[in-house]
Amino acid sequence: MALTHAQASGMGGMRGAGDLVARMMMSKKMRINEAKAYVAEKLKIGVQDLTDSVIMTEVRQELGLGQISPLPNNAKGMESKFKIADLLDIDINCVSRFKGMVNM
Amino acid sequence: MGKILTRMGDGSPVEIPEAEIMQDIIDGSTDASERGGIPALNDEEVKYLFDIFKRQDRFVSVQQGNEVVMSYDAGTLKIRRHGLIEERIASLQMYEKFMGADTAELCHVDYSYKPLKPIVAYEQTILEQALLVTHVPLFYGAMPNLGLYSHPDGPFPNPSELMPMGKITEAMESYDLAVEDAVTDILFTAESMIASGADGINLDTVGAAGDADFKAGLIATRKLRDKYPDICIEMGMAGEFVLGMHGSMEYNGRRLAGLYPHQQVKLAQDAGVSIFGPVCNTNTSMSSPWNIARAITFMKECCEVATIPIHVNMGMGVGSVTVNEHPPVDITSRASTAMVELCKLDGL
């Protein structure tokens, strides 16, 4: 059922920019269109491209935002979230916590 | 006119004449409109729903560009429910890597805030490790579940036993005490998870034990919002209608019993909720066209009055998804598509 929803109407998560749009909803209470426009502008792509897995694979690899299939020497996990926080200009709780733990 | 193959609310397949499909859509919308005191679907929306049922495609979807964000309440619990022998961090990775989840949620199988208190340190450690290796926003979630605060599971007299004895005042006092304890428990776990780096806290299935349950969720949200202005708080509801188990409970001067989604969301916003998850229950005795029209009528109004993102609950048995352990793709995809296209919502 979750997969059915994801295929019928979901943004695709890391296959696209669904996680990034979700972060703007969660951190700034942005509605869907505002959040999509904000993320698209930050990524320098069109709103339609946010759910295009081919375009977003290139964008995510280039910007180090994490990918479904990670490559060696590419940012992943917490490393990616550092970059996402910078790119979207938001505070990500676990990134701030990580910085505190390592005295950054 | 021919017949259309569709389903009943319990998922069983049924062939219904086209004219009856149209009438079911109108009747479902009218039912929601009359109950909620809200507008029914207009002719164009009714026609959209009729057309989506008339299509013979096994699977339908939204138009490109209209996709929305998915949140998954009780995500790691659902992996265990399917009998998969998988630890929770791997479960979260499956959500984001295999399922393309936009967000994910860590939770415990005993999905209530009260029983989490003694084991919260274990939950924090799992969360902290999960956050190192995942990418999508990560919630920690559980239910207020006020049922756990009365005899025989909790410290207070059971209102359901007191009320048949005519002890109405005592029953109401028991609910008042349960609200206080539930708020304390929610705050204890939520604050621990925020300290461990959670992106958001999910108060799920709020109102399951009625108006007192909803009040506990609202008070806890307000307290969390005051302490953490930037943290995400998602509130998912238990049903379309807040049951008046107490009957006189209020929040910000508004009586909670009897509130429908478009009324619930206003209180949620006032309390500081970031994302609201309204519910419309599926009626197993009615057809899927009836259920979808009814659910969309409720959800559309909720989305229109909301100023915060709305993630409509569309799990098994709610949001017109059939009441069946394995909801069929044909109805779930139609419900998903129609809900997003007609309600202009933000997520599911």
Side-chain angles (χ1 to χ4, degrees):
Chain A
M1 178 181 55
L3 279 171
T4 305
H5 283 305
Q7 295 296 315
S9 53
M11 291 202 67
M14 292 170 63
R15 285 172 56 83
D19 59 323
L20 309 180
V21 173
R23 286 199 182 278
M24 298 318 299
M25 251 183 215
M26 292 172 66
S27 62
K28 303 294 182 189
K29 297 184 184 176
M30 286 184 181
R31 303 296 297 263
I32 185 75
N33 291 334
E34 184 187 7
K36 284 182 178 179
Y38 182 91
V39 172
E41 184 183 344
K42 292 291 185 183
L43 296 175
K44 297 183 173 58
I45 60 175
V47 170
Q48 291 273 353
D49 300 331
L50 294 173
T51 51
D52 188 311
S53 60
V54 175
I55 292 172
M56 280 307 303
T57 295
E58 291 180 11
V59 170
R60 294 191 79 109
Q61 183 174 340
E62 184 182 323
L63 298 176
L65 305 180
Q67 295 169 258
I68 295 285
S69 303
L71 298 170
N73 300 315
N74 271 200
K76 53 184 75 68
M78 180 61 75
E79 301 156 355
S80 295
K81 287 192 272 197
F82 268 68
K83 293 175 180 289
I84 291 170
D86 281 345
L87 176 82
L88 298 180
D89 193 22
I90 56 172
D91 177 59
I92 295 181
N93 190 19
C94 64
V95 171
S96 301
R97 182 181 176 280
F98 188 100
K99 289 177 178 174
M101 295 299 282
V102 298
N103 298 320
M104 281 179 72
Chain B
M1 279 188 153
K3 288 186 174 181
I4 292 175
L5 179 62
T6 181
R7 295 182 188 271
M8 298 299 289
D10 66 357
S12 56
V14 60
E15 279 192 323
I16 302 178
E18 289 184 10
E20 285 184 32
I21 292 273
M22 179 64 89
Q23 193 59 48
D24 278 3
I25 292 169
I26 293 168
D27 289 349
S29 179
T30 302
D31 185 79
S33 171
E34 290 177 353
R35 288 173 188 269
I38 55 179
L41 299 179
N42 62 35
D43 291 347
E44 190 178 338
E45 292 160 340
V46 169
K47 184 177 182 307
Y48 175 89
L49 286 181
F50 179 77
D51 288 345
I52 214 171
F53 280 104
K54 194 171 181 182
R55 288 171 59 175
Q56 293 301 297
D57 307 72
R58 179 167 172 268
F59 188 96
V60 300
S61 75
V62 299
Q63 287 186 14
Q64 285 193 28
N66 291 349
E67 300 91 345
V68 296
V69 165
M70 299 283 146
S71 52
Y72 299 85
D73 55 2
T76 52
L77 165 59
K78 284 163 185 167
I79 297 289
R80 291 294 301 149
R81 187 187 295 165
H82 292 314
L84 291 173
I85 311 302
E86 192 59 87
E87 57 88 25
R88 286 183 290 167
I89 295 175
S91 296
L92 294 168
Q93 291 178 302
M94 288 163 62
Y95 265 91
E96 72 168 17
K97 292 294 181 80
F98 290 169
M99 295 167 63
D102 301 310
T103 70
E105 179 180 308
L106 178 69
C107 70
H108 190 264
V109 287
D110 202 343
Y111 195 52
S112 303
Y113 281 100
K114 182 186 170 196
L116 289 169
K117 286 180 77 174
I119 59 166
V120 74
Y122 293 88
E123 295 299 282
Q124 285 179 273
T125 306
I126 296 289
L127 175 68
E128 289 166 9
Q129 293 177 87
L131 286 163
L132 292 172
V133 296
T134 54
H135 305 75
V136 301
L138 197 52
F139 286 93
Y140 190 87
M143 296 165 55
N145 199 356
L146 253 68
L148 295 179
Y149 292 86
S150 58
H151 300 166
D153 301 311
F156 306 119
N158 194 323
S160 297
E161 293 175 352
L162 293 170
M163 281 193 279
M165 293 188 285
K167 295 181 177 180
I168 307 301
T169 304
E170 290 87 341
M172 294 168 83
E173 287 172 353
S174 179
Y175 276 124
D176 291 332
L177 293 169
V179 169
E180 287 180 29
D181 265 25
V183 169
T184 302
D185 291 349
I186 294 168
L187 294 180
F188 179 83
T189 298
E191 289 175 359
S192 300
M193 294 305 162
I194 292 168
S196 286
D199 291 298
I201 297 298
N202 185 18
L203 304 183
D204 194 17
T205 327
V206 173
D211 45 358
D213 199 297
F214 188 26
K215 184 169 183 175
L218 292 168
I219 293 173
T221 298
R222 182 71 264 165
K223 289 178 181 289
L224 286 172
R225 177 59 65 225
D226 289 342
K227 188 168 181 179
Y228 306 100
D230 299 323
I231 204 74
C232 177
I233 304 169
E234 180 165 4
M235 177 180 282
M237 297 303 290
E240 67 194 35
F241 176 85
V242 179
L243 294 169
M245 303 302 287
H246 179 287
S248 301
M249 273 205 170
E250 295 183 351
Y251 182 79
N252 280 357
R254 182 79 194 260
R255 185 168 174 257
L256 301 179
L259 295 184
Y260 280 101
H262 62 288
Q263 300 159 324
Q264 298 161 10
V265 69
K266 292 178 180 172
L267 293 180
Q269 285 171 180
D270 291 345
V273 165
S274 313
I275 299 174
F276 183 68
V279 163
C280 177
N281 302 94
T282 299
N283 185 332
T284 55
S285 301
M286 304 301 285
S287 71
S288 287
W290 186 91
N291 276 298
I292 288 181
R294 184 172 181 276
I296 288 176
T297 303
F298 272 127
M299 298 302 118
K300 186 166 181 284
E301 182 67 10
C302 180
C303 290
E304 287 190 2
V305 303
T307 59
I308 58 174
I310 301 296
H311 285 201
V312 170
N313 273 280
M314 293 194 75
M316 189 268 284
V318 292
S320 73
V321 174
T322 53
V323 183
N324 186 285
E325 278 299 316
H326 307 108
V329 165
D330 47 86
I331 289 301
T332 306
S333 68
R334 278 166 173 74
S336 190
T337 300
M339 189 70 77
V340 171
E341 296 285 15
L342 293 182
C343 292
K344 306 301 178 195
L345 46 75
D346 307 277
L348 300 176

